[in-house]
Amino acid sequence: MNYNFPVTRTTNPKQKPDPDKLPFGRYYTDHMFIMEYEEGKGWYDGRIVPYAPLELDPAAMVFHYGIEMFEGLKAYTNVNTGAVQLFRPDMNAKRTNRTNDRLCIPQIDEELYVAAVKAIVDVDADWIPQAKDTSLYIRPFIIATEPYLGIHPSVTYKFIIILSPSGPYYPNGLEPTKLYVEDTYTRAALGGTGEAKCGGNYACSLKAQVIAEEKGYDQILWLDGMEQKYVEEVGTSNAFFVIGDEIITAPLRGTILPGITRDSCIKVLKSKGYNVNERLLSIQEICAAYDKGEFVEMFASGTAAIISPVGELCYKDKQMIINEGKIGPIAQLLYDTIYGTQIGKVEDEFGWVIPVK
Ligand SMILES: *Cc1c(COP(=O)(O)O)cnc(C)c1O
């Protein structure tokens, strides 16, 4: 289907930020995509307008009950052809609908979703930064707008896409991080919303993050919410562990976010013949492997940083230094392969790269 979203161009274009000093997620482009939903009418009036504040009723349900979801993906310029391209946007559309289902937000046609992402990126394509390790971060999100203080699914919503020219998520790039294994707070329980990409999962994670930072750590390694035994996620990214020659990541059983980068890592590693398993991994197994010298590498995966190596892990009073605090070979291989594919430097073996037009 051919989607044609009307475009109202800004008459007041903003000055673009310095591409060499670009932070993550602080600047926004000139335009945004907006679409409305009303019960009985469905999604309608998808359009591109100048980036501007929203006017909402103070009783809108998003403010009171957190009925909202979001996604994150990036646009890149192909280093060979100059074409603007996306990485697996169909996966974000599918995940949006899984999140929506969990939160009783109406489904969105996945083709329309990807067409909307392409349309807004195309309008603001001159905002895609070109410096190394920069990209245009794309943030689609949905908010419940019905003014109502009772509890039921909202009858009106807005679907919005904003764009943020961004530098590396971690200012130190591929510098390994220090993690604290959280053993008081939890972020997700079986049957909860751990696998949905919604703001509530983030609000409840802040306290543990702040405490870890006060103790001198960058991020948290979350344990499962039932026994506080099995490793789940690093902050807001997926976690991978290398023990001997086995690469392990937590299984998708409802408590972790099914990361698209996680899925890409698994597929790249399998295609290269690595022994990668999605299985429960206890913190005790990690500590024992560390004592035997077999816990050789750890990294996190997510759209924002792609791969973030971990140099140190602290569980209660056990301090583990991983790979002498340096990035390991598997993290480096995945970063080079996935980032290389995204910018067209590495052949797109899996058909993951989608041109904007
Ligand atoms: C978005 C997110 C991830 C990473 O998913 P990607 O699709 O790889 O960006 C991991 N964990 C949480 C909690 C997330 O919200």
Side-chain angles (χ1 to χ4, degrees):
M1 205 169 139
N2 209 354
Y3 296 94
N4 215 343
F5 304 111
V7 180
T8 309
R9 294 211 174 245
T10 180
T11 51
N12 194 7
K14 296 182 238 184
Q15 176 145 27
K16 297 195 175 61
D18 178 351
D20 294 316
K21 290 192 218 122
L22 209 47
F24 178 85
R26 291 255 179 224
Y27 293 97
Y28 306 98
T29 64
D30 282 326
H31 300 90
M32 60 185 184
F33 176 89
I34 299 201
M35 183 165 68
E36 316 290 331
Y37 178 89
E38 214 180 288
E39 203 174 68
K41 196 165 168 185
W43 290 103
Y44 67 96
D45 202 15
R47 64 208 187 267
I48 291 170
V49 295
Y51 186 98
L54 303 172
E55 188 163 292
L56 291 173
D57 194 300
M61 293 180 88
V62 61
F63 296 132
H64 306 277
Y65 306 125
I67 306 175
E68 74 90 44
M69 65 78 55
F70 67 93
E71 270 297 332
L73 69 161
K74 286 175 170 176
Y76 309 83
T77 308
N78 185 303
V79 289
N80 301 315
T81 63
V84 177
Q85 53 198 37
L86 304 169
F87 187 71
R88 310 187 74 185
D90 49 307
M91 296 284 282
N92 297 92
K94 285 199 182 76
R95 188 168 65 191
T96 292
N97 278 335
R98 286 201 304 270
T99 297
N100 288 5
D101 180 61
R102 182 65 181 79
L103 300 179
C104 300
I105 296 171
Q107 301 282 294
I108 293 188
D109 181 88
E110 288 166 17
E111 243 182 73
L112 179 149
Y113 186 104
V114 173
V117 171
K118 288 180 177 175
I120 182 65
V121 169
D122 187 39
V123 165
D124 277 338
D126 59 337
W127 279 84
I128 303 177
Q130 304 299 334
K132 191 176 174 296
D133 297 326
T134 62
S135 59
L136 186 68
Y137 185 80
I138 306 166
R139 167 56 56 90
F141 63 105
I142 300 171
I143 53 173
T145 54
E146 183 187 352
Y148 181 48
L149 298 183
I151 296 280
H152 75 181
S154 177
V155 297
T156 57
Y157 296 86
K158 281 184 194 294
F159 171 58
I160 304 173
I161 307 174
I162 56 174
L163 308 173
S164 175
S166 288
Y169 188 74
Y170 295 106
N172 299 332
L174 281 178
E175 181 111 347
T177 56
K178 280 173 71 171
L179 304 188
Y180 183 75
V181 183
E182 177 57 47
D183 60 356
T184 304
Y185 300 103
T186 62
R187 72 170 279 282
L190 276 178
T193 56
E195 66 183 346
K197 210 165 173 75
C198 60
N201 289 342
Y202 282 67
C204 74
S205 74
L206 290 177
K207 188 165 177 72
Q209 173 67 26
V210 167
I211 294 172
E213 281 172 19
E214 279 167 7
K215 290 181 180 158
Y217 296 89
D218 301 301
Q219 286 277 344
I220 281 165
L221 175 64
W222 291 104
L223 299 177
D224 76 90
M226 289 70 72
E227 297 174 77
Q228 298 212 321
K229 178 174 174 188
Y230 299 108
V231 295
E232 294 208 324
E233 296 204 55
V234 172
T236 55
S237 32
N238 296 117
F240 285 81
F241 302 80
V242 186
I243 295 184
D245 66 2
E246 184 189 11
I247 305 167
I248 305 153
T249 191
L252 302 178
R253 53 173 187 155
T255 54
I256 70 162
L257 206 285
I260 296 164
T261 319
R262 171 190 181 278
D263 181 75
S264 306
C265 288
I266 294 171
K267 292 201 162 84
V268 166
L269 290 169
K270 284 194 172 156
S271 79
K272 294 187 188 293
Y274 285 92
N275 173 23
V276 43
N277 292 309
E278 295 168 67
R279 69 165 174 90
L280 293 176
L281 172 65
S282 70
I283 187 69
Q284 288 75 22
E285 184 180 342
I286 291 172
C287 292
Y290 182 78
D291 291 340
K292 285 190 273 179
E294 291 171 358
F295 177 28
V296 290
E297 211 179 317
M298 178 179 174
F299 52 90
S301 76
T303 294
I306 310 177
I307 298 293
S308 168
V310 176
E312 189 181 325
L313 189 60
C314 180
Y315 178 54
K316 299 193 190 285
D317 46 25
K318 188 177 179 73
Q319 187 203 31
M320 296 177 262
I321 305 289
I322 309 158
N323 194 40
E324 298 168 355
K326 298 194 297 259
I327 182 168
I330 294 172
Q332 188 72 56
L333 168 94
L334 285 169
Y335 182 81
D336 293 344
T337 307
I338 294 174
Y339 184 55
T341 306
Q342 289 167 337
I343 62 170
K345 241 168 90 178
V346 170
E347 197 198 315
D348 178 20
E349 253 181 77
F350 298 92
W352 285 339
V353 170
I354 306 294
V356 157
K357 59 176 181 191

